[in-house]
Amino acid sequence: LPLPKSISKEKVISAIHPLKDVDGLHPENGGRLLASIPRLVPCTPAGVIEMLKFYQVPMEGARAVVLGRSEIVGKPMALLLLRQNATVTICHSKTRDLSSVTREADILVAAVGVPQFVKADMVKEGAVVVDVGIHRTDKGLVGDVDFASVSARAKLLSPVPGGVGPLTIALLMRNVVTAASLQAS
């Protein structure tokens, strides 16, 4: 993904056998995540959870805001944070007074797909900010977060590049091993 507009994303994803779906996008795997019986989980959101655990970010009871509602990051990210007992809000392009919602976040996950969209005035002092975006610009690679301004307010801020990306690849490899094990049994 992304696919050309002439190709149905849903048909392609549904054609992949759920036990071979290392990206965790098949409707069966999405349903299993929703039902709290995950099998193959989307790699980027799983990587974000691993990052938060590694840095010992308290998720239980935390107010988490996910900027973006995509099937590949936003929605599974919200479900994984819920599994960690965070209180989760999903924001998107139609969210009213977006900055007031994001400023409530103890954990802010930016997966909006717009270069440097998140500015310092959208972040609560001391928040943990995870930047999932990556964009090629005239300035080089940047994320969905304006790193320069947000780094002054955030307690922790993942870099782009080098933050979530390597974890996405690591979790993809974990899914490959899981998928192979599932098929062998």
Side-chain angles (χ1 to χ4, degrees):
L1 299 177
L3 296 170
K5 292 184 191 249
S6 61
I7 299 174
S8 168
K9 174 178 79 170
E10 292 78 17
K11 286 182 181 177
V12 170
I13 290 170
S14 294
I16 299 167
H17 192 284
L19 296 180
K20 295 181 179 182
D21 172 33
V22 295
D23 288 315
L25 299 177
H26 190 280
E28 182 177 318
N29 288 321
R32 291 179 65 89
L33 179 59
L34 182 63
S36 294
I37 47 172
R39 182 173 51 209
L40 293 167
V41 177
C43 306
T44 299
V48 170
I49 294 296
E50 292 298 324
M51 177 185 286
L52 294 172
K53 286 179 179 179
F54 180 83
Y55 287 103
Q56 300 177 355
V57 174
M59 291 179 268
E60 187 169 321
R63 295 191 64 148
V65 173
V66 179
L67 270 175
R69 57 181 165 179
S70 70
E71 284 81 18
I72 196 164
V73 177
K75 291 175 186 175
M77 185 76 254
L79 291 171
L80 290 173
L81 285 163
L82 278 171
R83 287 189 53 138
Q84 299 298 318
N85 297 313
T87 301
V88 181
T89 302
I90 300 174
C91 295
H92 47 78
S93 61
K94 306 295 184 216
T95 300
R96 291 188 190 126
D97 197 11
L98 179 62
S99 292
S100 71
V101 178
T102 59
R103 278 192 303 270
E104 294 291 317
D106 301 311
I107 301 168
L108 177 62
V109 180
V112 71
V114 178
Q116 300 181 317
F117 180 82
V118 177
K119 307 291 187 199
D121 66 343
M122 298 174 73
V123 177
K124 173 175 141 180
E125 186 74 38
V128 173
V129 181
V130 181
D131 191 346
V132 174
I134 190 159
H135 312 276
R136 287 194 192 284
T137 68
D138 295 340
K139 300 175 187 177
L141 293 176
V142 299
D144 288 354
V145 176
D146 178 14
F147 193 90
S149 71
V150 172
S151 62
R153 296 187 62 87
K155 178 180 178 182
L156 296 171
L157 171 59
S158 65
V160 174
V164 175
L167 286 169
T168 297
I169 294 165
L171 275 288
L172 177 63
M173 294 300 101
R174 182 171 79 181
N175 277 356
V176 168
V177 170
T178 300
S181 297
L182 289 168
Q183 292 171 66
S185 61

